[in-house]
Amino acid sequence: MTVSSAPGKVYLFGEHAVVYGEPAVPCAIERRAQVTAEPRDDDRVRVEATDLTLDGFTVEWGESADDHPDVDVPSSLVEAAMGYIEEAVAQARDALDDPEAGFDITVESDIPLGGGLGSSAAVVVAAIDAAVRARGAKIDPRALADRAYQAEHTVQEGQASRADTFCSAMGGAVRVEGEDTRAIDAPELPLVVGYDGGAGDTGKLVAGVRDLRERYEFAADTVESIGDITRRGEQLLADAEPGEAPDAALVEELGDLMDINHGLLSALGVSSRSLDAMVWAARNAGASGAKLTGAGGGGCIVALDAGGDTERALGFSNDCEQSFRSALATEGVRAEE
Ligand code: MEV
């Protein structure tokens, strides 16, 4: 039996625009998905999943496609989760050169499903790593990131960037621009996450932006402007002392850029009433800036707050189900057992 874990992430800048070749800067956070893999004697795969949201509930499904999991989340989300795990197993089999390798897989996660914190990428990364190691082989993090991207790309019908999977495999702050993926230095950022208890449909949201971009020049310009914001933001990160608390002026400027990034994402139609409400609750509480993170439509926002009131203010907001501070996760995929 092997156990691997991989972190979720927040986007400081650049989600959606990264799908069109603009740069993005996601940062891994200390919320992890953990996958256990046990080789089987036959060629079947059995998957058991628990705690796929912050609420904690159980999702279980068996070998038959007719088995309906008994869960309190939309079945489309569970189907999507199954799709990611199936593709992760396909990648592990390919890496092992054994198309008939069977596994018992258990997924535990404290990253809300579909909430914009990279739950699917973390599960895919951890699942490929655990399954490959369960059969006595090894895969290095860059090769793993590539395989995890292929899995997401297939499930999301070609509408995926390398950002989520690369960040989860490598940990820390990363920069992704098309095929160019690299780790970058970052200061100790005062990140606060607010979660509305909901989820967005990444495929639909990405398709919506694509449609707007094709119909309106403003939307194509907006995507490019998000790229400009990201380039400016990464320059600020590069100027700061890695791993140290950044000075107040830097946090303010990063926050301003996050606010603008959120406005541009709203213009592209991927925010929601509750995401906007949480962004404003954070700003009113003194956060230097706040934006939605991930695909949008519902789920999480990320704020920068060195002061400390944002987490509590979000907790009091009707639109926020849970808020927490989160440190940058310096470790990406990790063998737990
Ligand atoms: C989803 O977590 C982030 C998006 O930019 C899609 C992607 O990069 O694959 C919306």
Side-chain angles (χ1 to χ4, degrees):
M1 183 187 84
T2 52
V3 185
S4 298
S5 76
K9 56 103 205 35
V10 292
Y11 275 86
L12 271 193
F13 307 108
E15 56 273 87
H16 283 287
V18 69
V19 175
Y20 306 99
E22 298 294 341
V25 177
C27 297
I29 58 167
E30 268 312 333
R31 291 258 155 172
R32 302 183 82 89
Q34 182 162 300
V35 176
T36 303
E38 176 85 41
R40 289 173 65 109
D41 294 337
D42 58 20
D43 63 356
R44 308 195 75 109
V45 177
R46 184 176 184 281
V47 181
E48 198 176 307
T50 60
D51 299 331
L52 283 177
T53 76
L54 293 178
D55 278 347
F57 60 82
T58 302
V59 181
E60 258 192 52
W61 62 91
E63 294 149 3
S64 155
D66 298 333
D67 282 353
H68 289 296
D70 176 21
V71 292
D72 61 355
V73 288
S75 61
S76 59
L77 272 182
V78 176
E79 278 160 27
M82 284 196 278
Y84 285 110
I85 294 165
E86 269 169 41
E87 282 308 315
V89 169
Q91 286 295 330
R93 284 174 165 167
D94 191 58
L96 293 163
D97 204 13
D98 182 355
E100 298 192 341
F103 298 96
D104 283 334
I105 301 232
T106 307
V107 182
E108 290 165 82
S109 175
D110 56 10
I111 311 168
L113 196 60
L117 298 182
S119 53
S120 56
V123 167
V124 168
V125 166
I128 298 173
D129 191 65
V132 167
R133 288 194 307 108
R135 296 216 165 243
K138 270 197 170 155
I139 181 163
D140 75 71
R142 279 194 173 259
L144 175 60
D146 191 53
R147 287 199 174 273
Y149 164 68
Q150 302 302 338
E152 277 216 336
H153 194 261
T154 305
V155 181
Q156 289 170 210
E157 294 170 358
Q159 305 194 98
S161 75
R162 292 179 177 273
D164 288 21
T165 38
F166 183 72
C167 184
S168 188
M170 305 303 288
V174 305
R175 177 192 198 276
V176 173
E177 184 172 8
E179 301 280 302
D180 182 36
T181 50
R182 57 184 79 176
I184 59 171
D185 285 333
E188 184 70 51
L189 294 167
L191 300 172
V192 179
V193 175
Y195 171 47
D196 68 7
D201 180 330
T202 301
K204 263 197 200 144
L205 290 152
V206 171
V209 173
R210 185 176 302 268
D211 186 44
L212 268 191
R213 242 181 119 246
E214 279 162 12
R215 278 178 26 225
Y216 301 110
E217 216 175 299
F218 99 84
D221 292 346
T222 302
V223 165
E224 276 180 34
S225 298
I226 292 176
D228 292 340
I229 298 281
T230 304
R231 277 181 277 272
R232 178 86 178 254
E234 60 176 315
Q235 193 52 55
L236 290 175
L237 293 177
D239 292 345
E241 206 54 53
E244 306 268 309
D247 64 42
L250 182 103
V251 176
E252 284 305 314
E253 195 171 345
L254 283 172
D256 287 347
L257 294 176
M258 288 168 71
D259 285 342
I260 300 169
N261 195 159
H262 180 76
L264 296 175
L265 287 167
S266 277
L268 292 175
V270 297
S271 192
S272 70
R273 203 193 55 79
S274 58
L275 292 173
D276 286 344
M278 290 193 293
V279 159
W280 277 108
R283 290 175 186 160
N284 289 341
S288 307
K291 62 183 279 295
L292 69 83
T293 177
C300 292
I301 64 140
V302 56
L304 275 191
D305 176 36
D309 288 337
T310 298
E311 184 186 356
R312 207 156 41 88
L314 279 170
F316 284 126
S317 157
N318 287 338
D319 295 280
C320 181
E321 196 173 292
Q322 197 169 124
S323 60
F324 53 92
R325 273 202 174 270
S326 198
L328 194 70
T330 47
E331 254 185 312
V333 66
R334 183 164 80 200
E336 303 285 355
E337 256 177 62

